[in-house]
């Protein structure tokens, strides 16, 4: 495909108080392999009170295809909030035929755009990539294994044309699809804005695809507050009535069930854990081979303990928390 036939692309990255993460993200943006004549990178500062604006502005000043946009404070009558509002503002400033979404705590692969576009098919309105954690320590390895397992299941479902969810730190949307659904102004506010956009596009009759290749694997950094992140995910899934929440919350019951089995039937507990271990083993083996990743299998024995404990704790915390925090902005966690 020659330069004239390549579509124009806009990378959209909103940032709010991301001074510690931005150097990794910006470095990866320097290495994006796509003709600069067809690429624009839009970096938005969402009312940060740290060094985020300075970092973004300094980076944008170095490149003609990078734009820095300072998002104004919200008016009282605005219905869009938080990241949904920021994305809506930045997308209005974009011009690309395809919108590539990511976050300020993501290291993007150089071949990201070309690999996603290579997998584009007629009528596909949204494509989801893969985000991983570098398994360099316990926390990264546990979250990385959990997340890659979830993405593997999403990939399997998508191959059978069963929609699951979008992923706002590694996702592509065609402008045609975005405008067809009326954008975020029509979709409205959601604490899980990526899922809302993904579902709206599919509901409008566009196809979807989950890309599972080494060239599109991006790397994220562990959240500064794990429980706040998980509370936001649970709240969003409950509000959107996603069937995925059933699979997620069922794991919250693993711990009490395992404790009961340990007391009344240790043999059955051993059998259950063996089955679970084999299930996890084959999923990890699959994504390691498919995505050219290494080192996750060795963490599996500890992962068997991590999953029931963390899901029980995060759901317990969610039930008894009145508010959740997203980068200094609070929202009610009450289930309506």
């Amino acid at each position: 495909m020659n330069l004239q036939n390549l579509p124009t692309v806009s990378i959209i990255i909103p940032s709010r108080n991301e001074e510690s993460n931005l150097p990794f993200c910006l470095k990866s943006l320097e290495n994006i392999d796509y003709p600069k004549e067809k690429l624009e990178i839009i970096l938005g500062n969402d009312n940060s009170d740290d060094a985020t604006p300075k970092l973004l502005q300094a980076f944008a000043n170095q490149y003609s295809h990078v734009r820095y946009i300072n998002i104004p404070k919200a008016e009282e009558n605005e219905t869009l909030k938080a990241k949904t509002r920021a994305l809506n503002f930045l997308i209005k400033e974009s011009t690309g035929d395809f919108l590539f979404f990511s976050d300020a705590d993501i290291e993007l692969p150089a071949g990201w755009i070309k690999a996603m576009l290579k997998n584009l098919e007629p009528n596909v309105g949204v494509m989801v990539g893969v985000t991983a954690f570098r398994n360099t320590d316990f926390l990264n390895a546990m979250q990385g294994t959990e997340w890659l397992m979830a993405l593997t299941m999403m990939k399997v479902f998508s191959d059978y044309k069963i929609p699951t969810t979008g992923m706002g730190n590694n996702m592509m949307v065609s402008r045609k699809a975005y405008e067809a659904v009326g954008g975020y102004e029509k979709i409205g506010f959601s604490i899980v804005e990526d899922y809302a956009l993904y579902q709206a596009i599919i509901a409008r009759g566009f196809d979807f695809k989950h890309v599972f290749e080494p060239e599109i694997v991006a790397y994220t950094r562990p959240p500064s507050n794990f429980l706040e992140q998980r509370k936001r995910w649970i709240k969003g899934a409950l509000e959107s009535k996603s069937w995925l929440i059933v699979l997620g919350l069922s794991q919250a019951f693993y711990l009490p069930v395992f404790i009961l089995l340990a007391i009344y039937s240790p043999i059955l507990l051993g059998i259950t854990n063996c089955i679970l271990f084999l299930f996890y083993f084959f999923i990890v083996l699959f994504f390691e081979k498919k995505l050219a990743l290494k080192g996750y299998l060795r963490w599996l024995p500890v992962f068997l303990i991590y999953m029931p404990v963390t899901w029980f704790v995060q759901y317990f915390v969610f039930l008894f928390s009145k508010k959740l925090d997203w980068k200094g902005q609070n929202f009610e966690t009450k289930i309506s």
Side-chain angles (χ1 to χ4, degrees), residues 63-83:
Y63 305 98
S64 60
H65 66 288
V66 180
R67 295 171 58 197
Y68 166 70
I69 295 176
N70 195 48
I71 301 169
K73 290 185 178 181
E75 302 290 338
E76 289 186 8
N77 60 345
E78 288 189 56
T79 56
L80 295 180
K81 308 173 190 176
K83 190 177 179 181

Side-chain angles (χ1 to χ4, degrees), residues 13 21 37 43 53 129 136 138 177 185 239 254 258 275 315:
I13 301 181
N21 292 319
E37 303 92 323
L43 305 174
T136 52
F138 174 77
E185 289 183 340
E239 288 187 348
Y254 283 10
F258 286 174
I275 294 172
Y315 189 54

Side-chain angles (χ1 to χ4, degrees), residues 301-314:
V302 186
F303 186 74
L304 279 175
I305 301 172
Y306 164 87
M307 281 294 279
V309 172
T310 55
W311 269 94
F312 180 82
V313 170
Q314 68 196 35

Side-chain angles (χ1 to χ4, degrees), residues 106-155:
I106 297 292
E107 295 178 60
L108 294 164
W112 182 43
I113 296 175
K114 288 183 177 180
M116 290 287 264
L117 291 176
K118 180 188 70 176
N119 283 276
L120 189 62
E121 298 173 355
N123 200 45
V124 168
V126 57
M127 297 174 68
V128 181
V130 175
T131 302
F133 292 79
R134 298 190 186 279
N135 58 346
T136 52
D137 56 39
F138 174 77
L139 185 60
N140 275 285
M142 292 300 99
Q143 292 186 65
T145 303
E146 179 185 4
W147 190 230
L148 286 167
M149 280 186 175
L151 292 178
T152 300
M153 299 305 296
M154 292 177 193
K155 167 63 177 172

Side-chain angles (χ1 to χ4, degrees), residues 250-267:
S250 65
Q251 296 176 93
F253 297 98
Y254 283 10
L255 184 61
V257 169
F258 286 174
I259 292 174
L260 288 174
L261 286 176
I263 296 172
Y264 296 105
S265 183
I267 295 177

Side-chain angles (χ1 to χ4, degrees), residues 53-293:
K54 292 181 180 179
L55 292 171
L56 295 178
Q57 183 71 77
F59 184 80
N61 288 343
Q62 299 177 59
Y63 305 98
S64 60
H65 66 288
V66 180
R67 295 171 58 197
Y68 166 70
I69 295 176
N70 195 48
I71 301 169
K73 290 185 178 181
E75 302 290 338
E76 289 186 8
N77 60 345
E78 288 189 56
T79 56
L80 295 180
K81 308 173 190 176
K83 190 177 179 181
T84 308
R85 177 179 177 272
L87 287 171
N88 179 66
F89 191 91
L90 297 179
I91 293 169
K92 284 183 176 181
E93 297 288 329
S94 69
T95 60
D97 298 321
F98 291 92
L99 307 173
F100 280 71
F101 296 101
S102 192
D103 288 339
D105 60 353
I106 297 292
E107 295 178 60
L108 294 164
W112 182 43
I113 296 175
K114 288 183 177 180
M116 290 287 264
L117 291 176
K118 180 188 70 176
N119 283 276
L120 189 62
E121 298 173 355
N123 200 45
V124 168
V126 57
M127 297 174 68
V128 181
V130 175
T131 302
F133 292 79
R134 298 190 186 279
N135 58 346
T136 52
D137 56 39
F138 174 77
L139 185 60
N140 275 285
M142 292 300 99
Q143 292 186 65
T145 303
E146 179 185 4
W147 190 230
L148 286 167
M149 280 186 175
L151 292 178
T152 300
M153 299 305 296
M154 292 177 193
K155 167 63 177 172
V156 172
F157 284 128
S158 74
D159 287 347
Y160 286 95
K161 300 302 178 183
I162 301 172
T164 52
T165 186
M167 190 167 62
N169 57 23
N170 194 332
M171 189 166 79
M172 186 195 80
V173 170
S174 72
R175 184 171 295 277
K176 179 181 178 182
Y178 185 80
E179 292 179 349
V181 301
Y184 278 117
E185 289 183 340
K186 179 71 172 179
I187 295 170
F189 168 70
S190 173
I191 199 68
V192 280
E193 77 297 324
D194 44 7
Y195 173 82
L197 179 58
Y198 172 90
Q199 289 286 19
I201 289 173
I202 295 171
R204 193 69 173 77
F206 289 90
D207 290 334
F208 61 95
K209 190 172 184 179
H210 288 241
V211 184
F212 219 68
E213 297 177 358
E215 294 80 10
I216 52 83
V217 177
Y219 287 93
T220 186
R221 298 161 68 77
S224 57
N225 193 322
F226 173 83
L227 289 175
E228 283 297 333
Q229 181 194 65
R230 294 308 177 92
K231 281 161 57 181
R232 183 172 71 89
W233 289 357
I234 294 172
K235 175 180 170 62
L238 288 170
E239 288 187 348
S240 58
K241 297 179 174 61
S242 168
W243 62 270
L244 291 172
I245 194 62
V246 177
L247 297 179
L249 293 185
S250 65
Q251 296 176 93
F253 297 98
Y254 283 10
L255 184 61
V257 169
F258 286 174
I259 292 174
L260 288 174
L261 286 176
I263 296 172
Y264 296 105
S265 183
I267 295 177
L268 184 56
L269 174 63
I271 294 172
T272 302
N273 277 323
C274 284
I275 294 172
L276 199 56
F277 180 86
L278 288 173
F279 177 69
Y280 288 161
F281 176 83
F282 285 112
I283 293 179
V284 174
L285 195 65
F286 173 82
F287 74 64
E288 280 197 340
K289 183 176 180 180
K290 193 76 173 175
L291 300 175
L293 299 173

